[in-house]
Amino acid sequence: MIIVLTGTPGTGKSSLAKALAKKLKFPYLDVNKVIDKENLIIEYDKERDSNVVDENKLSKVLVKLIKSNKDLIIDSHLSHYIPQKHVDFCIVTKCDLKVLKKRLEKRKYSKSKVRENMEAEIFDICLNEAIEAKHNIIILDTTKRTLKGLIKTVENEINKN
């Protein structure tokens, strides 16, 4: 089973992805490590304080990795770009804006980067892109839930299908 986790940075997707991989005994894939290993950064955007990734090449690399793994948890705010036919479930993490702001500031994000990510959460960018890609979506609000509770919800949703 291939499960991707996506969502605005700071919404809890990495914590959930790692805990879910451990619980299900699935390999965990940090897409940032793949991006570095495969040299998929095409430029650095100073204004956004962010690397720009070749999303098409990333998707191709991830599809190859999926084809060589029966089970996999893929963690990235870009993971919903993987074509739907290769993904069983797409978990979209969401978070209360006040909590998200504190998490991003704790990461020492610049004010403009905090604002950009807050706007991405307000406009549900990752969710809308996952819907457009026709993924089988599970939406989780991580604000006040424990990892154990979130994992139980995921397992219940998976078992329904």
Side-chain angles (χ1 to χ4, degrees), residues 24 60 90 92-93 105 113 121 126 131 135 152 157:
L24 298 177
K60 288 176 185 173
C90 177
V92 179
T93 56
E105 289 172 344
K113 193 166 181 170
E121 185 69 1
C126 292
I131 291 169
H135 281 291
K152 185 172 183 166
E157 289 295 319

Side-chain angles (χ1 to χ4, degrees), residues 4-160:
V4 300
L5 284 90
T6 190
T8 304
T11 57
K13 77 188 148 301
S14 294
S15 297
L16 178 58
K18 290 172 187 172
L20 189 59
K22 185 176 180 180
K23 170 75 172 159
L24 298 177
K25 296 181 172 72
F26 284 10
Y28 167 81
L29 182 66
D30 179 345
V31 173
N32 288 328
K33 290 182 180 176
V34 173
I35 290 168
D36 290 340
K37 182 180 176 191
E38 300 291 330
N39 297 314
L40 298 175
I41 297 170
I42 52 179
E43 67 178 293
Y44 180 76
D45 184 337
K46 287 182 187 177
E47 188 177 309
R48 295 172 117 179
D49 187 24
S50 179
N51 290 320
V52 178
V53 175
D54 186 326
E55 294 163 2
N56 290 326
K57 285 183 182 176
L58 174 61
S59 183
K60 288 176 185 173
V61 169
L62 293 174
V63 167
K64 282 183 184 178
L65 290 168
I66 287 169
K67 288 182 177 180
S68 63
N69 286 278
K70 181 178 76 167
D71 298 315
L72 196 58
I73 302 288
I74 301 173
D75 171 19
S76 173
H77 70 283
L78 303 172
S79 65
H80 59 273
Y81 288 114
I82 300 168
Q84 177 272 333
K85 67 181 180 180
H86 301 287
V87 176
D88 295 295
F89 292 96
C90 177
I91 298 171
V92 179
T93 56
K94 300 201 45 59
C95 181
D96 176 82
L97 293 174
K98 289 179 185 175
V99 173
L100 179 61
K101 185 175 189 229
K102 286 179 185 175
R103 290 178 184 175
L104 297 174
E105 289 172 344
K106 188 176 179 180
R107 292 181 180 187
K108 307 253 188 265
Y109 279 22
S110 67
K111 286 185 180 189
S112 62
K113 193 166 181 170
V114 169
R115 186 177 60 250
E116 179 182 8
N117 281 288
M118 297 285 290
E119 289 171 358
E121 185 69 1
I122 290 166
F123 292 110
D124 281 326
I125 301 298
C126 292
L127 175 59
N128 285 318
E129 289 177 349
I131 291 169
E132 286 174 17
K134 298 184 177 17
H135 281 291
N136 186 10
I137 298 170
I138 299 170
I139 302 170
L140 294 176
D141 185 334
T142 64
T143 306
K144 295 180 181 176
R145 307 238 356 242
T146 64
L147 283 174
K148 189 175 179 180
L150 291 166
I151 289 169
K152 185 172 183 166
T153 300
V154 171
E155 289 177 316
N156 290 339
E157 289 295 319
I158 288 171
N159 289 331
K160 283 182 188 177

